[in-house]
Amino acid sequence: MVSGLVYGASGQRLDVYRPTTASEASPVVLLWHGRGPEERDVLAPLARAAASLGVVCFVPDWRPDAHDGGRTHLRESAIFVQRNAADFGGDTRRIALAGWSLGSKAAMAAALDPNALDGWRPQAVVGIAGGYTRPEPLTGRAPIDELTGAEESLPAIPIWLIHGTADPVVDIQQSRRLHAALQHRGWPTSLDEPDTDHAGVIMTEYDPESRRCRPSHTDHAVQAGSQTAHLLARAANITPRACQTVRRPS
């Protein structure tokens, strides 16, 4: 692991999780955290699990409480990964974008609006416990509305969704609704529904005292987090249209 790299002019930092062994360039995942400012550490368990599956995982801090909602930080992190992934053993031809909670909404914008990240779109997006009916930081629009208004000529990229059935923070119906809308548009998509909550889906649990998520070793979190890590690895290593339009129950 490489920790605390400054990735842009704003001075925000990121961590890089790399496979222990790799004989060739590895697929890449850029993973955005949720609403809490500068919480890249919260995603450490998930990032380690993804790296153990052969993925180079970049996890940046960003600040949703910034004057622009964090848009500058998100864009800077995407530029950094595009330009520097190869220096960490990553394959720049295989970059997936993923996000948890608020980060998931932002990641979805990158799939649905080519201008969200200055014309760059990842090869796939993984949405983890996201809500998609309210505005997100990159475009200021709701992903579900963006999809409805997207041009038919917009090339579809695979969208992988995962959402815990016991999530008390973001209703699972948010992911189900987006999944159905993607299916209606003919986009390659899948939805996984593990039996866990909002924190468990990233292999953590919420600590009320610190008001942060911390690593969890409970069965439901370990199983759900592992499921999410496998989605990240599959999304980063796929070829176009490899994601089937199916919904997989837990």
Side-chain angles (χ1 to χ4, degrees), residues 19-48:
T20 55
T21 59
S23 59
E24 57 184 25
S26 302
V28 175
V29 170
L30 171 58
L31 178 59
W32 289 337
H33 65 70
R35 185 171 297 280
E38 298 180 346
E39 287 194 340
R40 71 182 192 270
D41 60 296
V42 167
L43 293 174
L46 177 59
R48 290 193 190 99

Side-chain angles (χ1 to χ4, degrees), residues 78-100:
I79 292 170
F80 180 90
V81 169
Q82 293 170 63
R83 292 178 177 174
N84 299 284
D87 295 339
F88 299 91
D91 184 350
T92 55
R93 298 167 301 176
R94 293 182 291 169
I95 302 177
L97 177 60
W100 170 62

Side-chain angles (χ1 to χ4, degrees), residues 7 29-32 60 62 68 70-83 95-99 103-126 136-141 146 154 157:
Y7 64 78
V29 170
L30 171 58
L31 178 59
W32 289 337
W62 65 288
D68 63 353
R71 181 172 182 262
T72 296
H73 304 153
L74 297 172
R75 294 176 68 187
E76 286 179 347
S77 70
I79 292 170
F80 180 90
V81 169
Q82 293 170 63
R83 292 178 177 174
I95 302 177
L97 177 60
S104 178
K105 287 203 291 188
M108 213 56 61
L112 301 174
D113 183 351
N115 296 316
L117 291 175
D118 303 313
W120 178 77
R121 296 173 77 210
Q123 73 159 21
V125 166
V126 180
E136 50 72 36
L138 280 174
T139 67
R141 297 186 294 274
E146 190 68 45
L154 179 66
I157 65 174

Side-chain angles (χ1 to χ4, degrees), residues 1 48 106 108-110 158 190 192 205 211 222 230 233 239 247 250:
M1 172 185 171
R48 290 193 190 99
M108 213 56 61
S190 71
D192 284 70
E205 60 189 20
R211 301 179 68 180
V222 171
H230 278 81
T239 55
R247 176 166 144 194
S250 57

